[in-house]
Every structure is written in C-alpha cells, then in structure tokens.
Amino acid sequence: MAEEPREKRERKATVEVYSVASPTKKEFVIPEGAGTKVGDIPNVEFALGKFRSDDEFLKTVHRLMFGTPGKATIIKKNIRAFSGLPQDDEKATGRAEDMLKRAFNATLNQLLDLFDLPRGSGEEGKKEAKEKRIFDWLMKPTQSGNKNLKEAAEAKREKAAKKRDRVAAKKEKAASKRAKVSTGKLPDDVKAIKAELNALAARQAALLKKLEKAIEGGAKKKAAPKKKAAAEDSEDEEASDEEEEEEEVAEEEDAEEEAAPSQKEEPPAPSPAPSTPAAPRAPTDEELELAVKEMLYGVNLESVSMKKIRFDLEVKFGVALNDKKSLIKEFAEKYLD
C-alpha cells in the first residue's frame, strides 16, 4: 500500500509583540559657579597634578563637587572645570555639607591641602571650622594668596641640581687627584709652579733682609743726637737707598738664575724660614702687616685659613701671637679682598 504524500507546512510570519526603547544617556553638565575655575588657580592645579587619575581621594572630591565619583579618564578634567556649587541648588549644597560632616579629620586635611587652605590651630583647627572653610571654598573657589608652589618647587629642583653638579665636580676632581698620586705622574705645569715658588721665596728673603735693615736703621736714627739728625739722616738715607737698591737687584738676579734651571729639572723645595733669634721679641703692627701681606702673595686663597696664617707667623717671629688674633684676621681680610 503506497503512502500518501505529507502536506507541506505553511510558515507563519513573525509578529512583533513589543519593542524595547534604548535608554537615553543623561548628558553630564558642569554647572557654572560663582568662583574661579580650579584649573585657573595655580596652587590647586599644582596639587591636583600630584594625584593619579584613579586615586580614591579624587573620587571623593568629584562626588563633593558633582554628586558622582566620576570616571578616571575625565575626573581631573571635570575637577579643573569646577567653579563652585550652584547657589540655587539646595540638593547639591546639602549633599556637600552632609559629606563634610561624615568625613574623617584626615580627609578634611587632604581637602584643605588640595584647595590651598590652612589647616588651622586652636579654634580654627577644630572639625567644624575645617568643614566651614571647605564648604565656603566649594561655594566660591578663590586663590588663597600664598606663594606659588610650582615656582617654589622648580626653584628647589634647580637648587638641588646645582648642588648635585657641585658634588659631582668635587668627586671628579678628587678622583683625578687620587689617580695622579697613584700613577706618580705630575701635571705639565708643576715645574713652572715650583720655579715660581722658588722665585717668590727668594723675593721674600730679600724683602725680609730689607725690612731688618730698615728696622735697624730706624733704631740708630732714634739714638743719634738731635742736632746731627737732619744732616746724617739725609746722608744715611741716600747711602742706604743705594745699597738697598743694589742688594735688591742682585738678589732678584740670583732668584731668576735659581729659578731658570728649575724649569728644566725639578727644583728643590722652598728654603725654610730664617731661624728665630735667640731672644725673640713680639713684632710691631707694621711688621705683622707686612709679613701677612708677603705670606698671602701668590698663595692659593682656597687653602688658606686664619689658624694656618697665625701658626706661620708664630714660626716666623718665634713668639706666640694669641693676643694678635683679631689684628692678624683684619690684615688677612684686607689682603684677601
């Protein structure tokens, strides 16, 4: 028995039962306030830049200003555009007051620092006073008038960079000195410097002799009779001047001859100071000033100290000069300048 063909089922058309309307996204609008925009207040802008965009504290700030935590991608942009809570929006102002009352003291301090407001002390340091300062600022953001924190930070960084450069230069200089000492090599101009030091030592010895003769001549003139003083003084001065000039020229020539060969080969160390007399006497102020002047001539001023100058003078004159400290310092400062 043959089977009968099955009837083909008719496809029914789909009927739309209901339609779902896509929700309309509410546009975020920053209300216009009565104060200055946060981005135009230098110190607040500087403090805001120190926070990461995903910092929880910034969400608290955004919620205070706009009632929402805000997205990390635009949270700083919105805060910078804030210029104050709407004066006629009781909901926004009430929300801000309630959040400040429930905030911990540490959060209030963070807000005060961000808005460049003082934390206060005494009555002004109490929680209620802090809440009021923050709320007043939120109603009308203004610049505090404190020093520019960004400029101060840049000056501090510049000062620190200069200090690092100085320290690095000192370390490099010390390292080069240690390298020269370890290798036993001396710079090319050492011989010339030593020759100059020898010439200065010879010049100093000549001046010391001249000073001693001048002192002796002065003592003789005081002992001479008053009547013969005028005639003898003029003759003695002329003779002594000629002798001193001849001696000085001869001594300078000797010093130049001693310095010349020292440029080719390493010269000996400068001769020591003359030995002290058997019965040393305290130098006069004029002698002391002249000795200080000669001592500081051609010397590296960075390596000179008052203690070393006084010690060298005591060795030179053979007497203690503790009572001449102030005078020595005065002469040294005079010729150091």
Side-chain angles (χ1 to χ4, degrees), residues 101-326:
K101 286 179 181 178
R102 290 187 288 107
F104 291 107
N105 200 47
T107 304
L108 295 178
N109 287 338
Q110 273 189 296
L111 290 169
L112 289 169
D113 294 341
L114 175 62
F115 300 152
D116 198 25
L117 299 173
R119 293 190 178 187
S121 59
E123 291 295 326
E124 291 297 318
K126 291 184 177 180
K127 189 173 184 295
E128 294 78 9
K130 292 179 180 180
E131 292 171 9
K132 186 178 184 308
R133 283 200 297 278
I134 295 171
F135 182 77
D136 291 344
W137 189 91
L138 288 170
M139 293 300 296
K140 188 177 181 181
T142 53
Q143 191 169 345
S144 64
N146 296 331
K147 66 177 182 179
N148 193 305
L149 297 178
K150 184 178 180 180
E151 293 178 358
E154 289 175 353
K156 187 176 180 181
R157 282 195 297 270
E158 186 178 350
K159 186 177 179 181
K162 288 181 179 179
K163 185 177 180 181
R164 285 194 298 271
D165 293 342
R166 287 198 303 270
V167 172
K170 285 182 180 179
K171 287 182 179 179
E172 185 178 353
K173 187 177 181 181
S176 64
K177 284 184 178 179
R178 287 195 296 268
K180 289 174 184 176
V181 171
S182 62
T183 55
K185 295 181 180 179
L186 295 174
D188 297 336
D189 57 346
V190 167
K191 292 181 180 180
I193 294 172
K194 286 188 175 182
E196 187 177 353
L197 287 173
N198 286 337
L200 289 172
R203 173 68 175 166
Q204 183 179 4
L207 290 171
L208 287 173
K209 288 180 181 179
K210 186 176 180 180
L211 176 64
E212 290 174 0
K213 289 181 180 180
I215 294 171
E216 291 175 1
K220 290 178 181 179
K221 288 177 184 179
K222 289 181 181 178
K226 292 183 179 179
K227 292 182 180 179
K228 298 179 181 180
E232 291 179 357
D233 284 350
S234 61
E235 293 175 1
D236 291 342
E237 283 176 1
E238 291 176 1
S240 61
D241 288 343
E242 292 176 358
E243 291 175 359
E244 287 170 1
E245 287 177 1
E246 292 175 0
E247 290 177 0
E248 187 176 345
V249 171
E251 287 167 355
E252 287 180 357
E253 290 176 354
D254 293 340
E256 290 177 358
E257 290 175 0
E258 291 175 2
S262 65
Q263 294 179 356
K264 297 180 181 179
E265 57 185 19
E266 200 169 303
S271 58
S275 59
T276 56
R281 62 175 181 79
T284 63
D285 294 351
E286 292 77 13
E287 293 174 5
L288 200 60
E289 182 177 2
L290 182 59
V292 171
K293 182 179 179 181
E294 292 171 353
M295 192 175 294
L296 295 178
Y297 180 77
V299 176
N300 184 5
L301 302 182
E302 293 181 357
S303 63
V304 175
S305 65
M306 293 300 167
K307 186 175 181 181
K308 186 176 184 307
I309 293 173
R310 183 166 57 84
F311 176 79
D312 292 343
L313 290 172
E314 288 177 347
V315 172
K316 175 180 175 61
F317 293 107
V319 293
L321 298 173
N322 292 332
D323 56 337
K324 302 271 189 182
K325 282 183 180 180
S326 59

Side-chain angles (χ1 to χ4, degrees), residues 28-34 37 65-66 81-87 89 92:
F28 180 79
V29 179
I30 299 175
E32 192 71 24
K37 288 185 178 181
M65 294 176 173
F66 307 110
F82 177 78
S83 60
L85 295 171
Q87 302 285 340
D89 192 346

